[in-house]
Amino acid sequence: MSLVIRNLQRVIPVRRAPLRSRIEIARRMLGVQEFDLGIICVDNKHIQRINRIYRDRNVPTDVLSFPFHENLKAGEIPRPGFPDDYNLGDIFLGVEYIFQQCKENEDYNDILTVTAIHGLCHLLGFTHRTEAEWQQMFQKEKAVLEELGRRTGSRLQPLTRGLFGSC
């Protein structure tokens, strides 16, 4: 099914083609390529507004995920009953925030991919409210990113623990 990437901001350039390619590979690896997925790139002002409305946190953040199928167990693939239910949900990427958080030696486009995959894992029921949940999510992301690296020649690492607590 479709992967829609919308860039609704003009602060930071977004190279959609490489992001699309990497996310398509990750979707196939996770077995969810037949599900629709939306990725929306926004600036700090908009991600902060969404964060305030839905999470009662009045600060910008890197990623917010809105699953179509709620209450999935970690890693569970949805089993839709109707064709219209083949939807994973939407991932909002705070691209300005992500850019500002990049360290000098990090590639912004790589971090954008890592953050999008983190959001995708949230759509598949992974969370990180506890240490055990964080470990489970970290291991899944690490496996996906390592395989993605083998397929694309990139060296991608999961986000650090300090960043995980914020989404």
Side-chain angles (χ1 to χ4, degrees):
M1 296 293 257
S2 70
L3 168 60
V4 175
I5 300 176
R6 300 272 322 265
N7 183 14
L8 301 181
Q9 56 83 48
R10 295 183 188 270
V11 179
I12 304 295
V14 175
R15 296 178 53 218
R16 287 188 279 187
L19 180 62
R20 172 181 301 284
S21 173
R22 289 174 167 186
I23 297 303
E24 288 289 12
I25 292 168
R27 286 176 14 149
R28 285 193 297 276
M29 289 169 28
L30 291 166
V32 294
Q33 67 276 10
E34 61 199 43
F35 290 83
D36 291 332
L37 172 63
I39 297 179
I40 302 97
C41 300
V42 296
D43 58 21
N44 279 351
K45 176 181 157 190
H46 287 93
I47 198 83
Q48 180 172 339
R49 181 173 181 268
I50 296 165
N51 203 14
R52 182 179 66 245
I53 291 168
Y54 291 97
R55 298 181 61 233
D56 202 27
R57 295 186 182 175
N58 193 24
V59 294
T61 191
D62 53 357
V63 60
L64 294 170
S65 298
F66 296 91
F68 186 85
H69 300 274
E70 296 181 4
N71 302 317
L72 290 177
K73 292 184 176 105
E76 182 180 3
I77 296 176
R79 303 196 191 301
F82 301 97
D84 286 348
D85 291 344
Y86 277 84
N87 188 338
L88 288 179
D90 294 313
I91 299 168
F92 284 80
L93 294 175
V95 295
E96 182 180 4
Y97 183 86
I98 294 167
F99 183 81
Q100 291 168 342
Q101 298 302 311
C102 278
K103 295 175 179 57
E104 205 171 287
N105 62 338
E106 292 176 323
D107 180 86
Y108 160 72
N109 291 298
D110 286 349
I111 301 301
L112 199 60
T113 298
V114 169
T115 307
I117 289 173
H118 180 79
L120 181 55
C121 286
H122 275 304
L123 296 181
L124 295 175
F126 288 94
T127 63
H128 42 76
R129 290 180 295 252
T130 68
E131 178 68 21
E133 289 173 344
W134 179 84
Q135 285 291 337
Q136 186 179 26
M137 187 169 187
F138 181 85
Q139 292 306 318
K140 174 55 85 174
E141 287 183 25
K142 184 177 176 191
V144 169
L145 293 170
E146 285 175 355
E147 180 60 26
L148 183 60
R150 280 191 279 282
R151 295 183 187 194
T152 64
S154 56
R155 295 182 49 115
L156 305 172
Q157 295 295 316
L159 298 174
T160 61
R161 180 186 309 253
L163 292 177
F164 272 141
S166 66
C167 55

